Amino acid sequence: MTKLWGDITGYLVAFMIAVSSVGLMVGGVGVMNIMLVSVTERTREIGIRKALGATKRTILTQFTTEAVTLCALGGFIGVLMGALLTWIIYLLPISLTPALSTTWVLIGFGVSCIIGLVFGIYPAWKAANLDPIEALRYE
């Protein structure tokens, strides 16, 4: 019976990791699309900054930081919602004793920041490689 229970929970863990990975990929693609739209809308601004002397590294850092900040904010909101849910379950008159693990909170927040970094690189690279003259002509 113990072996069966171990097998079932092992399969459930693998399934949950697969589902979470798909969710993270979808979220990352969403962040990348948002950042690509931001780059397109701010093409003229990027052209002005580059014409005034901004380097590729400066533009790359700016847009990568924006993507990481966007995802970090989402991760922070997710952690707050999880903490609120834990608190609500704790207050309910049931026999569950929920616990909020600092390790998993930090892992969750860290993964959200890493998703922002990984999926924010391409839009930042695209912004950094814009030609200043073409960017200034963009309407």
Side-chain angles (χ1 to χ4, degrees):
M1 196 67 165
T2 304
K3 183 182 177 330
L4 178 65
W5 180 253
D7 289 345
I8 290 173
T9 56
Y11 292 136
L12 281 174
V13 166
F15 177 73
M16 292 306 294
I17 289 173
V19 169
S20 299
S21 297
V22 170
L24 288 172
M25 291 296 288
V26 168
V29 169
V31 167
M32 186 167 49
N33 284 335
I34 289 170
M35 293 307 298
L36 284 170
V37 167
S38 177
V39 168
T40 303
E41 288 178 350
R42 297 164 61 188
T43 299
R44 201 159 166 82
E45 171 197 334
I46 296 165
I48 292 170
R49 289 192 66 208
K50 290 187 98 171
L52 292 175
T55 62
K56 284 185 178 185
R57 184 176 180 169
T58 307
I59 304 291
L60 188 71
T61 303
Q62 174 189 351
F63 281 93
T64 304
T65 303
E66 286 180 20
V68 171
T69 303
L70 179 69
C71 288
L73 182 62
F76 182 72
I77 291 170
V79 166
L80 283 180
M81 289 176 62
L84 180 66
L85 185 63
T86 302
W87 183 69
I88 289 171
I89 291 172
Y90 178 76
L91 293 177
L92 290 176
I94 55 178
S95 62
L96 288 176
T97 54
L100 189 62
S101 170
T102 306
T103 303
W104 288 109
V105 166
L106 292 176
I107 288 173
F109 183 75
V111 166
S112 69
C113 292
I114 290 170
I115 292 294
L117 180 65
V118 169
F119 286 92
I121 295 271
Y122 175 69
W125 177 82
K126 189 173 177 182
N129 287 318
L130 284 174
D131 180 40
I133 296 169
E134 292 297 322
L136 287 171
R137 286 187 193 158
Y138 184 79
E139 296 276 336

